[in-house]
Amino acid sequence: MVSSLLADALADPTAVLNDVFDGDLDAFPAAVAAQFSAIFATPDALTEIPYLNDPNEHKDRALVRFRAMIQDTSPSPEMYLARRTGARCGGWGLSDPASLAAIDYADLRECTVLWAVSVPGESPWCASAVENVDTPQKHVAHTPPLPHKFPVPGMRHLGVQIKVYTRDRVADAFGSTDIHTFVGILTSEPLSNSLELDTPVLVPTLHVLFSQPVPPTIVPRVYPSMSHSKEIRDELIAWIADTSLAGDLDAAEWVLLSIISRVQSRIPPILPLSLTLSRFPSPSGPNTTPALLHVLSQVVALLTTLPLSLETINNTPFAPESKDEDLHSGWLQLPRGSACLVTEGGITEGKVVERGLVNLRALQEAISTQRLEYVFPFSCFAFDTDVTFITLAEGKKSAFFQTDINVPLQPQTTNFDFYATPEAIRQLPQEKLDAFRSLIGAAKVGNMTVGENSAQFIQDDFVKERQAASSTSEPFSSESLIQRMMTARLLALSLHETEITVPIWEAAKSMDMRRKARI
């Protein structure tokens, strides 16, 4: 029976929609979501639904699914006729010709309209892992109708108008930069805010039957991982160091701690560990993308780069801005759980104009507070973010930004190519990559505690260190303790431990001291 329902839903979702309709207009959207959710309740059943890569590849009113980041929640709700002539269901792209009988206003209902884009920075291997297929999904054939609504300028992606018919807690369920898998009926319809134009803009439109939130790791992870070992962690650090950081193991370990960090608390603020790798060589040849980006993209689910230059700083948006009731995206409108690699190697002499100063302030604010202001015509609204920032700086520190940690790079290999192409980077066996991805993903969602004995030891150690530092020019402040505590938390998570122990605290202290000795 279930297989028959599944086959029917795949072949003709509109017919299943009509079968569910019982005339109860208020309960119908929830009944639709329940019915289709039940049909596709298992992961295997869900993967039977064709994935939306190119809208032109699907017939009108096809059933598709689309993993996407919500970019714009500001479009006004849309009215639709929930009951058509002949007591047939309406909505989900079904409507009567305008010339038919007068509308019964009691049959009108509202749907929520959103704009969603393919997930910015999603690494290609994620699709293979989630879909359990050998070839990753790629958006290559489709030309997006509204390219300004994607954070990374010029990048191929898919943009889709989303229509949601359920009304319960919609505002809470669908927030800006949230990632969802939307399952629905695909049509081509006018963009909601272009209906008054002489020639409305036609865009791919997905009428949602049901949706599922997607974790920030894209691939679901469990912490602690039973397959984790310290040896795997050591191999991961060595691989990052050898392939992208000229053998600098300490720098690679700080990179690991940064990419597994996340917002753990707003009050008190326990935010992602922002990192500067200073003394990082600028590109001297045609390749300007650091090998570190290619390496991390093989193990980090969500990774973007922000290549700073005077052109980027002065002439591209960093934060979203509403223009003519249309929210334009910016570099920093990224999904929660992302890592962003900020490169300063492309900056040359010149002037930073007013817009550039606004952009730099937005980036510093995102780094320091994990908040990003969206600009509207008469106001600004700050939205919470959860993005890890790693800055590559040529000097002793970043030219523009203050980060939690500054690690001067110490190459252990001469004539190292910091801008090697992906083809030149040593490839790993699939099982090793899977182990690295599991370690990072699970640590990203993990939680740990501080035992009573460890807490007392840390407090006593802080008192001792503060007394010892009182006679030096660099006192050990409470801020220093908070930062070291953050390092110890991340160190424990990277080891898949559920508690900060005394040895972990000592290891974090040693890491911090070695780092300070470089400065």
Side-chain angles (χ1 to χ4, degrees):
M1 183 66 176
V2 174
S3 60
S4 174
L5 280 175
L6 188 147
D8 291 344
L10 290 171
D12 191 352
T14 303
V16 177
L17 192 67
N18 287 321
D19 290 342
V20 177
F21 187 61
D22 61 0
D24 188 340
L25 303 186
D26 293 324
F28 183 51
V32 169
Q35 175 75 348
F36 280 89
S37 295
I39 294 173
F40 298 101
T42 67
D44 287 343
L46 191 65
T47 56
E48 289 290 324
I49 303 172
Y51 192 84
L52 181 59
N53 281 314
D54 182 355
N56 298 321
E57 294 178 348
H58 302 274
K59 66 180 182 180
D60 186 46
R61 302 196 61 77
L63 182 70
V64 297
R65 61 194 166 90
F66 180 37
R67 185 170 58 254
M69 182 193 82
I70 298 172
Q71 187 269 334
D72 190 357
T73 61
S74 65
S76 300
E78 223 173 65
M79 302 296 294
Y80 70 96
L81 190 62
R83 191 194 328 265
R84 297 183 293 152
T85 56
R88 297 172 300 160
C89 79
W92 289 270
L94 298 171
S95 60
D96 283 334
S99 60
L100 291 183
I103 293 174
D104 183 347
Y105 290 96
D107 292 340
L108 291 176
R109 294 294 185 273
E110 277 188 353
C111 70
T112 301
V113 182
L114 311 166
W115 187 262
V117 296
S118 44
V119 181
E122 182 181 297
S123 297
W125 59 266
C126 289
S128 302
V130 173
E131 311 297 336
N132 197 24
V133 295
D134 294 330
T135 55
Q137 310 288 353
K138 294 182 179 180
H139 307 291
V140 292
H142 176 69
T143 300
L146 305 173
H148 59 271
K149 296 181 79 67
F150 193 73
V152 184
M155 178 167 285
R156 283 278 190 179
H157 69 281
L158 181 58
V160 175
Q161 182 172 244
I162 304 288
K163 294 190 177 181
V164 181
Y165 293 84
T166 52
R167 302 301 300 161
D168 295 338
R169 303 186 66 184
V170 171
D172 295 332
F174 301 110
S176 177
T177 72
D178 287 350
I179 304 176
H180 288 262
T181 295
F182 296 100
V183 175
I185 296 172
L186 180 67
T187 65
S188 179
E189 296 184 6
L191 184 67
S192 62
N193 64 1
S194 74
L195 292 173
E196 297 180 0
L197 299 178
D198 293 337
T199 306
V201 179
L202 290 178
V203 296
T205 301
L206 190 60
H207 301 271
V208 176
L209 299 165
F210 72 96
S211 65
Q212 298 175 345
V214 176
T217 53
I218 307 298
V219 182
R221 301 295 185 184
V222 177
Y223 180 90
S225 171
M226 300 304 294
S227 61
H228 172 70
S229 68
K230 185 177 181 301
E231 290 71 25
I232 291 294
R233 180 184 183 276
D234 291 343
E235 287 181 50
L236 171 58
I237 291 171
W239 178 66
I240 295 173
D242 294 343
T243 54
S244 61
L245 298 175
D248 190 339
L249 292 172
D250 266 10
E253 188 167 13
W254 282 108
V255 167
L256 173 60
L257 298 193
S258 182
I259 59 178
I260 66 171
S261 63
R262 72 179 197 275
V263 174
Q264 297 192 40
S265 169
R266 296 279 174 186
I267 304 174
I270 305 176
L271 306 179
L273 182 75
S274 57
L275 172 67
T276 296
L277 291 180
S278 56
R279 296 177 184 155
F280 195 94
S282 293
S284 57
N287 296 326
T288 59
T289 302
L292 182 60
L293 181 75
H294 304 313
V295 169
L296 293 183
S297 68
Q298 296 186 52
V299 291
V300 176
L302 296 172
L303 179 67
T304 59
T305 181
L306 205 176
L308 293 184
S309 65
L310 286 179
E311 169 65 23
T312 304
I313 293 170
N314 288 333
N315 298 316
T316 62
F318 281 26
E321 181 177 359
S322 181
K323 300 178 181 179
D324 300 322
E325 299 184 359
D326 182 16
L327 187 68
H328 292 225
S329 191
W331 286 98
L332 301 178
Q333 192 183 24
L334 300 173
R336 292 171 177 83
S338 296
C340 181
L341 192 64
V342 181
T343 63
E344 297 184 358
I347 297 175
T348 56
E349 290 186 10
K351 181 180 180 181
V352 177
V353 300
E354 179 61 29
R355 183 182 187 183
L357 293 174
V358 171
N359 281 334
L360 293 175
R361 281 195 294 270
L363 179 49
Q364 181 63 71
E365 190 74 7
I367 292 172
S368 302
T369 68
Q370 290 297 320
R371 300 270 286 174
L372 180 63
E373 278 198 344
Y374 288 33
V375 181
F376 295 92
F378 303 105
S379 60
C380 293
F381 291 97
F383 289 79
D384 289 341
T385 62
D386 188 354
V387 179
T388 295
F389 291 95
I390 300 176
T391 302
L392 305 183
E394 187 176 16
K396 294 181 180 179
K397 60 180 182 179
S398 169
F400 299 106
F401 310 112
Q402 186 75 32
T403 59
D404 295 320
I405 297 292
N406 176 21
V407 180
L409 195 64
Q410 287 188 351
Q412 304 298 304
T413 304
T414 57
N415 300 319
F416 186 81
D417 186 1
F418 288 92
Y419 296 86
T421 62
E423 296 75 21
I425 294 171
R426 174 168 58 91
Q427 299 300 305
L428 294 175
Q430 186 62 48
E431 60 271 18
K432 189 67 67 177
L433 284 173
D434 289 341
F436 290 170
R437 293 164 183 170
S438 176
L439 185 157
I440 291 170
K444 187 84 172 175
V445 300
N447 291 297
M448 38 68 57
T449 60
V450 182
E452 186 175 336
N453 293 336
S454 298
Q456 186 60 52
F457 180 88
I458 291 169
Q459 183 176 331
D460 295 342
D461 192 54
F462 169 63
V463 172
K464 292 177 184 177
E465 192 159 357
R466 195 166 190 176
Q467 290 173 345
S470 60
S471 59
T472 69
S473 58
E474 295 185 10
F476 191 73
S477 64
S478 56
E479 288 76 16
S480 302
L481 176 64
I482 292 171
Q483 189 177 93
R484 187 168 294 173
M485 195 71 193
M486 180 191 299
T487 303
R489 284 176 181 272
L490 295 171
L491 192 59
L493 289 170
S494 73
L495 290 164
H496 282 220
E497 297 289 346
T498 57
E499 182 178 321
I500 294 179
T501 61
V502 171
I504 287 176
W505 173 258
E506 293 287 7
K509 184 176 175 180
S510 177
M511 273 188 72
D512 199 31
M513 288 181 170
R514 294 197 305 273
R515 177 187 69 84
K516 288 180 177 179
R518 297 184 175 202
I519 299 174

